[in-house]
Amino acid sequence: MAQSETQIKKSANRRAFLKTGITAVGAATIGTGLLGGGVSAFGQEHEGDGDLTQGDIAILRFLNALEQIEADLWIQYSELGGTQDKEVSGVNGGNPLYTAALSILDGDMAQYIHDNTDDEISHAAFLKAYLESKGAEAVDLSPFATIPGSTATGSTGKHRLTNLMQLTVDTSFWSVYRSITNPDFDPGAPFAQAVPSLNVGQHTAIPRTDADTAGSSFSDNLPASITNHLQAIAFTAGFHFAFIEQGGTSLYPTLAQKVTNLEVLRVLLSIGPSETMHFQTWQDKAGNALPLTDVDNGPGGTGATVTFTTLANAQGETNPESLKGDTLQANLIMPEPTHFLNKKFPPVAIIRPTSTKNGGAVASLQSFVDDGLFIGQKNPEFLRVMFRLAEEADEARRRS
């Protein structure tokens, strides 16, 4: 896994590498249906009902795969910290102590986690059905579910596509939306981390075993009955929720600019805003994290240190608006107006980034890799397959 990540990051020409290196996957991998055997995104145009182009199919396939990844991680959060019912498959009674720790951020966290999970499962299922209705086979990532998951109370103990126990969370999304600076105009602009220590080392966002919940008790005396360690795990999850959903918030409008078929455009424009609703919810809740410092030195710990501060006391709106991306005030959850298209226009409140030049499928997938989501993946072909799908999606072009 580490070798695959290094190879991808150091490649001087990812496009050339992916197109030639994909042959290493072999007919056996493709034949299992991981990429579908009906229509290759590098193959011929798909004609027939709906007149989807090669690029449309590539975009839908990548999103179908990415939504499976998101569903996988959200199912883990839901198993341990979500409302327990029969609507979301895989629930096993939950983890009351972890759920209590999450409730410090908001009393409705369990319901929100449940609903976000339900949404991502529905996105993956819909995109699969839609692709198949157009004669294109969907992506099946289930053979890559090889990562051992949590064994804490509430977990089903299944192997996963994603790892939530060794995360390096980039929290710069926080200041991106609170600053007039738009990363589409200046990709190298500095954006302050809401929690700098989360972007260093490896942090768990779920209890790995019951050792992570030891010492906490389920009572009305919150947060006093929850250890700092379990609070830190829950607060890490809160910021990770927002990180994941901010990615979808930008990805859907970015890829929508490449779509040719109007119905496919409608699909992207209809799913994308639900990701934005998720993001706004989670950044609001993450801002309620309490000030504390924790060192992950317990059983199974990574040794990482995390420090949360009171973001409600952080620097607020400035006049003129911050040009350094350093505004962190917690309750600034509406997007601050920023430069868009041309700086001769006045600032406007928008989703960002959405530039196809600076973002897109490969960039989104790379952010998941950097996040540590795939640490422990036992099949070296996983990243090769995923980056192929991402590259194909980025290569799509709208046709007149």
Side-chain angles (χ1 to χ4, degrees):
M1 179 66 188
Q3 291 177 345
S4 296
E5 292 181 25
T6 301
Q7 185 177 26
I8 289 168
K9 290 180 180 178
K10 290 184 176 180
S11 173
N13 188 334
R14 179 180 285 121
R15 179 172 301 174
F17 164 73
L18 289 167
K19 284 188 175 181
T20 57
I22 193 63
T23 58
V25 177
T29 300
I30 296 178
T32 62
L34 298 178
L35 295 177
V39 182
S40 169
F42 276 142
Q44 301 299 312
E45 285 297 311
H46 175 79
E47 301 295 344
D49 185 26
D51 294 326
L52 271 63
T53 67
Q54 170 184 326
D56 292 339
I57 293 172
I59 288 170
L60 290 169
R61 278 184 168 174
F62 174 72
L63 291 173
N64 174 221
L66 201 70
E67 293 290 359
Q68 290 176 62
I69 290 171
E70 290 200 21
D72 178 88
L73 69 89
W74 276 108
I75 287 171
Q76 294 179 69
Y77 282 129
S78 188
E79 284 181 7
L80 295 167
T83 298
Q84 304 294 302
D85 61 22
K86 295 181 180 179
E87 185 178 17
V88 175
S89 62
V91 294
N92 195 34
N95 189 300
L97 294 174
Y98 179 59
T99 304
L102 288 165
S103 73
I104 296 171
L105 296 175
D106 189 280
D108 289 322
M109 287 292 280
Q111 186 64 53
Y112 295 155
I113 291 170
H114 169 283
D115 290 350
N116 205 139
T117 305
D118 190 34
D119 288 356
E120 305 303 350
I121 291 172
S122 76
H123 292 167
F126 176 86
L127 290 168
K128 175 181 184 296
Y130 185 78
L131 277 163
E132 292 173 345
S133 77
K134 302 299 182 181
E137 292 190 38
V139 179
D140 177 17
L141 295 182
S142 60
F144 293 120
T146 64
I147 302 174
S150 168
T151 60
T153 297
S155 172
T156 57
K158 297 177 181 177
H159 280 63
R160 316 289 183 168
L161 289 172
T162 57
N163 184 345
L164 300 180
M165 299 177 285
Q166 293 174 269
L167 299 173
T168 303
V169 187
D170 182 353
T171 59
S172 63
F173 65 82
W174 195 267
S175 53
V176 166
Y177 272 90
R178 288 162 171 77
S179 170
I180 196 173
T181 308
N182 185 344
D184 282 335
F185 273 100
D186 187 0
F191 291 100
Q193 297 279 338
V195 186
S197 51
L198 276 183
N199 198 39
V200 179
Q202 297 178 341
H203 308 266
T204 186
I206 56 175
R208 295 159 291 207
T209 67
D210 286 341
D212 282 325
T213 59
S216 295
S217 60
F218 185 64
S219 73
D220 294 331
N221 188 24
L222 297 177
S225 66
I226 305 298
T227 64
N228 274 9
H229 179 60
L230 186 54
Q231 287 186 54
I233 292 173
F235 298 165
T236 297
F239 281 94
H240 191 240
F241 296 166
F243 165 80
I244 291 294
E245 299 305 309
Q246 188 273 335
T249 294
S250 289
L251 179 61
Y252 274 88
T254 300
L255 292 182
Q257 298 170 64
K258 300 171 176 287
V259 167
T260 298
N261 181 276
L262 288 179
E263 187 174 71
V264 176
L265 179 63
R266 182 182 178 187
V267 169
L268 268 63
L269 294 182
S270 297
I271 293 178
S274 71
E275 304 283 349
T276 307
M277 295 170 72
H278 298 159
F279 170 59
Q280 176 131 344
T281 297
W282 295 128
Q283 66 161 330
D284 181 38
K285 305 314 172 189
N288 294 328
L290 302 177
L292 62 82
T293 295
D294 179 67
V295 182
D296 187 17
N297 280 336
T302 65
T305 299
V306 64
T307 297
F308 295 93
T309 60
T310 306
L311 288 172
N313 296 336
Q315 177 183 341
E317 294 183 78
T318 57
N319 187 14
E321 291 285 358
S322 171
L323 298 177
K324 299 179 181 179
D326 58 1
T327 301
L328 297 177
Q329 184 177 321
N331 62 358
L332 300 180
I333 63 170
M334 311 294 180
E336 291 298 309
T338 186
H339 298 301
F340 184 52
L341 299 182
N342 192 311
K343 286 190 177 182
K344 71 180 181 181
F345 300 137
V348 58
I350 56 164
I351 298 299
R352 67 265 203 173
T354 58
S355 167
T356 59
K357 179 181 178 181
N358 300 322
V362 168
S364 294
L365 181 58
Q366 186 63 55
S367 73
F368 279 18
V369 172
D370 296 341
D371 186 44
L373 276 179
F374 308 126
I375 293 174
Q377 170 58 246
K378 292 180 172 54
N379 191 330
E381 305 304 340
F382 173 73
L383 280 183
R384 197 180 294 271
V385 168
M386 285 303 305
F387 272 104
R388 173 187 172 179
L389 290 166
E391 189 75 14
E392 291 172 351
D394 280 343
E395 286 179 348
R397 296 292 183 269
R398 181 186 297 278
R399 296 192 175 188
S400 58

